[in-house]
């Protein structure tokens, strides 16, 4: 069973003007597709790993569950496939977004004091990630929320990595330059600020419930 | 260069040992040796302007800020602060060093000349031909994960050229190799023109490589 590029839950232009249509199209059909293709190629020699599923493949990064000769390719492309699959779903039509609610909102307030404080910390993590990477809001093993950033296509599921801040992600933001350069060029903070307009808080709440129940949202 | 060490020391009521002036280094954004549009059609003028006036300029500004904070922390003996500044100095210092080299490694296509003399001899001895060198360089550089650079470096110990890559803005010099030619493969270096097709950028850039500059760097390294 090969991995496949999932369709977007919306049109390429739906997130305009905050994330532009051309970026969404290239990001989905070129960048994400390449991660899928490369992951499938890497796993051709190790079919038992394909059966693990994408989440468990990511959890296996940095452990001896992955064969040494494929470890890096799987880290980069298994990470890339999970991260982007997750990412498309935590975004939505800007007219749909209402802000956090329910248990997720309470958890945010408990961990950060307020939603605004959480955003301030998240923005700092996203702007401060040097080079390529991602910023994450996630549920730690003690059930509380935390923010971290990871380099390249790493993510907080990869608890086997040294310096890993192990969490189950409930919200993530791609800060690789390909995610924003066509519209924002070097102005990453402007991209980050605009992105809050398209966050799918219903999905974030669903992700939070899944994480609390001990499963990993995908 | 600003010599603030003695003044700062006097304000703090500390004494400076004779001859022990601590200066803050201030780096400057260098001018490009050509206009922004001069590398067209291989690298667009829009990219060159953003790359120089925004990206490189930011490394310079942030490096200077970090160095100033480092001087203050040092004057106060705040070792903890010194440690927290190391990341910013590495990122921005490396960014400045790398781009400083990069602009000189490029030349308008109308002035392009292929490698000659000792440089040509060494390339052919190690890779059989310039084409084969470029293929090898491009394959390694295209494969950089995330942000980074491809480098042709000189190994003083072995007297040989080496192709290698570095992540983020880590400067080649930390490996001991002397940087001769760098190719920036951060997405900002090519995305507006080539989008995700990094290999097309890597094919194009060889039309604007300043081999004379590379040869000069090699000659300097061999002294």
């Amino acid at each position: 069973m090969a991995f496949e590029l999932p369709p977007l839950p919306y049109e390429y232009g739906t997130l305009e003007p905050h994330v532009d249509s051309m970026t969404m199209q290239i990001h989905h059909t070129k960048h994400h597709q390449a991660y899928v293709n490369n992951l499938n190629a890497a796993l051709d020699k190790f079919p038992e790993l394909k059966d693990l599923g994408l989440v468990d493949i990511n959890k296996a990064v940095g452990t001896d569950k992955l064969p040494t000769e494929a470890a890096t390719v799987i880290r980069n492309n298994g990470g890339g496939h999970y991260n982007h699959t997750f990412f498309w779903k935590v975004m939505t039509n800007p007219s749909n977004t209402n802000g956090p609610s329910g248990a997720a909102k309470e958890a945010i307030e408990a961990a950060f004091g307020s939603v605004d404080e959480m955003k301030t910390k998240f923005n700092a993590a996203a702007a401060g990630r040097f080079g390529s990477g991602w910023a994450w809001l996630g549920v730690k093993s003690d059930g509380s929320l935390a923010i971290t950033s990871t380099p390249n296509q790493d993510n907080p599921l990869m608890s086997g990595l040294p310096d890993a801040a192990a969490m189950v992600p409930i919200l993530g933001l791609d800060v690789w330059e390909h995610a924003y350069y066509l519209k924002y060029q070097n102005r990453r903070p402007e991209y980050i600020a605009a992105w809050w307009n398209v966050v799918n808080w219903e999905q974030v709440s669903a992700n939070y419930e899944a994480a609390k129940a001990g499963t990993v949202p995908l | 260069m600003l010599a603030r060490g003695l003044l700062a020391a006097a304000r703090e009521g500390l004494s400076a040992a004779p001859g022990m002036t601590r200066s803050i280094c201030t780096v400057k954004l260098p001018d490009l040796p050509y206009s922004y549009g001069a590398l067209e059609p291989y690298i667009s003028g829009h990219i060159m302007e953003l790359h120089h006036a925004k990206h490189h300029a930011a490394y310079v500004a942030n490096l200077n800020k970090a160095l100033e904070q480092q001087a203050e922390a040092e004057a106060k003996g705040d070792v903890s602060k010194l440690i927290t500044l190391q990341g910013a100095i590495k990122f921005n210092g490396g960014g400045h060093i790398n781009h400083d080299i990069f602009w000189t490694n490029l030349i308008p296509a109308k002035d392009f000349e292929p490698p000659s003399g000792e440089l040509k001899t060494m390339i052919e001895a190690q890779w059989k031909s310039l084409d084969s060198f470029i293929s090898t360089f491009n394959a390694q550089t295209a494969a950089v994960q995330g942000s980074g650079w491809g480098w042709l470096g000189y190994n003083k110990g072995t007297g040989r050229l080496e192709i290698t890559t570095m992540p983020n803005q880590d400067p080649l010099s930390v490996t001991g190799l002397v940087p001769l030619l760098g190719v920036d493969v951060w997405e900002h270096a090519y995305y507006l023109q080539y989008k995700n097709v990094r290999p097309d950028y890597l094919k194009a850039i060889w039309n604007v490589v300043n081999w004379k500059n590379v040869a000069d760097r090699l000659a300097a390294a061999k002294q």
Side-chain angles (χ1 to χ4, degrees), chain A residues 66-115:
Chain A
L66 297 183
T68 342
E69 67 266 40
T72 301
V73 170
I74 291 172
R75 174 179 180 176
N76 292 331
N77 296 284
H81 181 29
Y82 174 83
N83 295 343
H84 290 84
T85 301
F86 176 89
F87 186 47
W88 309 135
K89 292 168 77 171
V90 296
M91 294 190 291
T92 189
N93 192 317
S95 63
N96 278 356
T97 184
N98 289 320
S101 62
K105 181 172 194 224
E106 282 168 24
I108 288 170
E109 288 168 345
F112 302 102
S114 67
V115 173

Side-chain angles (χ1 to χ4, degrees), chain B residues 90-155:
Chain B
K90 177 179 177 179
F91 299 153
N92 295 291
H96 172 54
I97 289 169
N98 292 338
H99 289 84
D100 205 31
I101 295 170
F102 188 46
W103 310 134
T104 70
N105 282 162
L106 302 172
I107 199 167
K110 63 175 173 59
D111 300 321
F112 173 86
E113 282 168 24
S116 60
E118 162 129 60
L119 177 59
K120 176 174 199 260
T121 307
M122 288 180 77
I123 288 174
E124 288 174 350
Q126 289 185 229
W127 289 280
K128 304 255 188 340
S129 68
L130 181 62
D131 278 350
S132 166
F133 160 77
I134 290 174
S135 286
T136 309
F137 186 103
N138 281 356
Q140 276 191 244
T141 302
V144 167
Q145 284 298 316
S147 307
W149 290 70
W151 286 100
L152 172 64
Y154 176 69
N155 185 324

Side-chain angles (χ1 to χ4, degrees), chain A residues 26 31 76 132 176-178 181, chain B residues 55 145-147 187-188 191:
Chain A
I26 299 175
H31 292 276
N76 292 331
S132 307
W176 282 60
E177 287 174 328
H178 65 238
Y181 209 83
Chain B
H55 291 277
Q145 284 298 316
S147 307
E187 286 169 329
H188 66 238
Y191 208 82

Side-chain angles (χ1 to χ4, degrees), chain A residues 22 26-27 30-31 76 130-132 152 176-178 181-182 185-186, chain B residues 50 54-55 59 91 145-147 168-169 186-188 191-192 195-196:
Chain A
M22 180 167 293
I26 299 175
H27 205 171
K30 306 291 182 187
H31 292 276
N76 292 331
F130 193 75
S132 307
N152 295 342
W176 282 60
E177 287 174 328
H178 65 238
Y181 209 83
L182 293 181
Q185 290 89 56
N186 59 301
Chain B
L50 286 167
K54 302 291 183 189
H55 291 277
Y59 292 130
F91 299 153
Q145 284 298 316
S147 307
N168 293 336
Q169 294 296 352
W186 281 61
E187 286 169 329
H188 66 238
Y191 208 82
L192 291 181
K195 314 293 191 298
N196 60 299

Side-chain angles (χ1 to χ4, degrees), chain B residues 19-199:
Chain B
M20 285 268 298
T21 309
R22 302 293 276 176
S23 318
I24 301 175
C25 162
T26 306
V27 305
K28 276 182 43 135
L29 180 69
D31 289 329
L32 292 193
Y34 35 74
S35 68
Y36 287 133
L39 306 184
E40 299 252 6
Y42 305 105
I43 304 179
S44 74
H46 191 195
I47 286 180
M48 290 304 291
E49 181 167 8
L50 286 167
H51 207 170
H52 179 252
K54 302 291 183 189
H55 291 277
H56 190 176
Y59 292 130
V60 167
N62 291 336
L63 175 63
N64 284 335
K65 194 165 74 150
L67 290 176
E68 180 154 339
Q69 290 175 331
Q70 178 174 255
E72 282 166 20
E74 196 174 1
K76 288 199 206 119
D78 187 349
V79 176
S80 177
K81 178 77 175 168
L82 285 176
I83 292 168
T84 66
L85 287 168
Q86 294 307 297
I89 291 172
K90 177 179 177 179
F91 299 153
N92 295 291
H96 172 54
I97 289 169
N98 292 338
H99 289 84
D100 205 31
I101 295 170
F102 188 46
W103 310 134
T104 70
N105 282 162
L106 302 172
I107 199 167
K110 63 175 173 59
D111 300 321
F112 173 86
E113 282 168 24
S116 60
E118 162 129 60
L119 177 59
K120 176 174 199 260
T121 307
M122 288 180 77
I123 288 174
E124 288 174 350
Q126 289 185 229
W127 289 280
K128 304 255 188 340
S129 68
L130 181 62
D131 278 350
S132 166
F133 160 77
I134 290 174
S135 286
T136 309
F137 186 103
N138 281 356
Q140 276 191 244
T141 302
V144 167
Q145 284 298 316
S147 307
W149 290 70
W151 286 100
L152 172 64
Y154 176 69
N155 185 324
K156 284 180 153 172
T158 61
R160 286 168 67 79
L161 301 174
E162 289 183 27
I163 294 172
T164 190
T165 63
M166 299 294 286
N168 293 336
Q169 294 296 352
D170 293 7
L172 183 67
S173 52
V174 304
T175 67
L177 292 175
V178 177
L180 303 181
L181 169 65
V183 175
D184 190 349
V185 288
W186 281 61
E187 286 169 329
H188 66 238
Y190 61 88
Y191 208 82
L192 291 181
Q193 187 174 358
Y194 295 96
K195 314 293 191 298
N196 60 299
V197 195
R198 189 189 273 179

